[in-house]
Amino acid sequence: DPVDILVNTPVADDEIVSEIRASVSRRIDGLSDIPRGMPLSSWSGLEHIKSWVGELQQALVTGERAFWQLAGRGALFEGSPLINKGEIARSVADACGLSFLNTSTHSWIDNNPLACLSEQIQRARDHAPALLFIEGMDLLQLNELQATDVQTAALRRQLHPLVDLIGQFDVSAPVVIIGSVGQQVEINPLLMQPGRLERTFVLPDYSNEDAAARLKHLVSSLEHTISEDE
């Protein structure tokens, strides 16, 4: 989170931090709590994702099932916890002109996971064409017998109906789904079947150039009185 990076930077005094937080909150829309980041074209090392975006754009323009089968239902973003996968997913949505919504599997544990996902997908369809970002797909990767607590085991027991729901696709109201997982997580093959999250993109750690560009982009788009040196 670029805000957290700034908060943890020695030069970011309380006044600057509160100013940034207030501006960020003003920029978050009603569908998502993930603010817009850099345009996808500004990122380095994401050429594989940019190529996929081209396929999604073609599918959106034609509206034909054959192009959606080529582009795929969605994807998994794999990478370090330091990588803001939601920010990159939102950049994908912006590049494709999609509404952006996000949810987290961690918020499903105390509820009915199937109902939670169904509600989020329907919400995305109401704003279609849309992109739904699901954080924490790691919870669905392991067998229920490997779960460390009863709630997580219950979540994984619903894996089959959950991935079946992910696989349901309406060309007239397309919803692209991107899920996030950590590094070197064994991906459950059920999630990667055709028509589901069949692509996995490994996100590289931020280069120094990307890290600097992210901070510059955030600060330049805010209402502030901070100098570039600060």
Side-chain angles (χ1 to χ4, degrees):
D1 183 347
V3 176
D4 288 338
I5 292 174
L6 285 171
V7 169
N8 292 320
T9 301
V11 299
D13 61 30
D14 292 342
E15 183 179 350
I16 292 175
V17 170
S18 60
E19 190 171 358
I20 289 173
R21 288 198 181 281
S23 296
V24 167
S25 67
R26 289 195 293 271
R27 293 168 55 235
I28 295 174
D29 60 37
L31 295 179
S32 171
D33 57 2
I34 298 177
R36 282 188 170 86
M38 292 195 304
L40 190 65
S41 57
S42 299
W43 288 94
S44 63
L46 299 180
E47 299 308 316
H48 49 334
I49 295 178
K50 295 174 184 176
S51 177
W52 179 53
V53 164
E55 296 177 16
L56 290 175
Q57 291 171 335
Q58 190 172 24
L60 286 161
V61 169
T62 63
E64 297 181 11
R65 184 170 294 275
F67 285 98
W68 279 111
Q69 289 175 339
L70 176 64
R73 172 73 165 102
L76 288 169
F77 282 2
E78 176 186 341
S80 161
L82 298 176
I83 304 299
N84 192 326
K85 304 173 189 69
E87 179 185 357
I88 297 174
R90 178 144 199 175
S91 296
V92 170
D94 290 343
C96 295
L98 301 173
S99 303
F100 182 79
L101 303 88
N102 67 289
T103 185
S104 170
T105 57
H106 297 277
S107 66
W108 305 349
I109 290 181
D110 294 327
N111 301 289
N112 182 327
L114 196 59
C116 290
L117 178 59
S118 179
E119 178 184 350
Q120 293 299 322
I121 290 179
Q122 184 56 55
R123 186 164 168 256
R125 284 175 179 157
D126 291 342
H127 295 87
L131 189 154
L132 175 61
F133 175 69
I134 305 176
E135 184 181 5
M137 295 292 281
D138 311 63
L139 284 183
L140 303 181
Q141 304 310 319
L142 302 177
N143 184 282
E144 64 192 68
L145 297 178
Q146 296 172 285
T148 57
D149 58 76
V150 174
Q151 290 174 318
T152 306
L155 176 63
R156 288 176 181 146
R157 276 197 295 273
Q158 296 195 48
L159 178 61
H160 282 78
L162 282 169
V163 296
D164 285 344
L165 186 58
I166 288 174
Q168 296 174 12
F169 189 75
D170 184 352
V171 175
S172 64
V175 175
V176 177
I177 295 179
I178 293 179
S180 74
V181 296
Q183 289 176 302
Q184 299 178 336
V185 172
E186 184 177 349
I187 309 300
N188 193 304
L190 284 173
L191 282 171
M192 302 177 67
Q193 293 178 359
R196 295 173 180 168
L197 309 184
E198 55 197 87
R199 301 196 187 197
T200 300
F201 296 110
V202 179
L203 305 182
D205 290 340
Y206 296 131
S207 64
N208 289 338
E209 292 76 14
D210 276 343
R214 289 176 72 233
L215 290 176
K216 186 173 182 180
H217 172 81
L218 175 66
V219 173
S220 67
S221 61
L222 301 178
E223 299 172 9
H224 67 84
T225 57
I226 310 168
S227 71
E228 186 166 340
D229 286 342
E230 288 177 314

